[in-house]
Amino acid sequence: VGSGSLSSQDVGSKYTYRELVKLMGKESDNTAYRACVNLLGEDKVNEVIEYIGMDSTSLEKNETTPKDIGSLLVGLWTKDLLGTTDTDELLSFLTDTIYEEWIAAGVGSERVAHKYGRETHVVNDAGVVYTDNPYVVVIMSKGVVGREADEIFPELSRIVYEAHKS
């Protein structure tokens, strides 16, 4: 059992890593995420987390921090983590997703490459906002009612956007 369109596919369906990563970005597909972790192994995922310098992120505990997520996004945006082609493709997977109601809703027509996540009483959205002077924004919550986050996230995004423009 999982979330996203992959969960409704037939058992034994085959996907490339690229397709799984695209599903994770465009649809926040947790089934694709679990497939990648299972295929790569937790040790390899933890090696990458450590290599990137996400010191406060735990795969085992399913925890991270705004600082770690912000650093990851800065590393992608500045192309310090991957080559240009891979970075551009990955960021395209995080653009025009099926979840555009939070950060993207607060910045009008600006391009936003972002990753959204939601669990019971947890809502997060983090991304790169491509203005004339791009910036990274990370909004994470815990203990929140989903409807409240649906209202406040676009407003927080708009406030950051307006402050960044001035």
Side-chain angles (χ1 to χ4, degrees), residues 106-130:
V107 299
S109 62
E110 304 290 355
R111 175 181 173 229
V112 180
H114 68 108
K115 178 64 180 81
Y116 165 82
R118 185 179 207 132
E119 293 181 1
T120 304
H121 303 297
V122 175
V123 179
N124 304 313
D125 199 4
V128 180
V129 180
Y130 288 92

Side-chain angles (χ1 to χ4, degrees), residues 147-166:
R147 288 184 313 275
E148 292 171 345
D150 293 344
E151 292 177 20
I152 195 70
F153 273 43
E155 183 63 16
L156 289 171
S157 178
R158 185 193 63 73
I159 290 167
V160 171
Y161 176 70
E162 292 296 329
H164 187 75
K165 282 185 1 183
S166 36

Side-chain angles (χ1 to χ4, degrees), residues 25 73 76 90-97 100 112-115:
L73 289 168
L76 287 173
L90 179 57
L91 290 173
S92 78
F93 294 163
L94 299 174
T95 305
D96 295 324
T97 73
E100 297 295 303
V112 180
H114 68 108
K115 178 64 180 81

Side-chain angles (χ1 to χ4, degrees), residues 10-76:
D10 293 334
V11 173
S13 296
K14 296 185 186 217
Y15 296 87
T16 64
Y17 283 115
R18 177 173 275 106
E19 291 168 325
L20 293 173
V21 170
K22 185 174 183 177
L23 286 168
M24 284 189 284
K26 292 286 187 193
E27 299 179 20
S28 197
D29 192 309
N30 290 332
T31 304
Y33 162 77
R34 280 194 288 286
C36 283
V37 171
N38 289 340
L39 290 166
L40 294 169
E42 289 186 12
D43 289 344
K44 183 63 175 173
V45 175
N46 282 320
E47 284 177 29
V48 172
I49 289 169
E50 184 178 330
Y51 172 78
I52 292 171
M54 297 175 72
D55 300 328
S56 299
T57 296
S58 170
L59 180 64
E60 181 180 289
K61 295 178 185 175
N62 192 27
E63 290 180 348
T64 192
T65 63
K67 180 182 178 198
D68 278 5
I69 296 301
S71 295
L72 170 64
L73 289 168
V74 168
L76 287 173

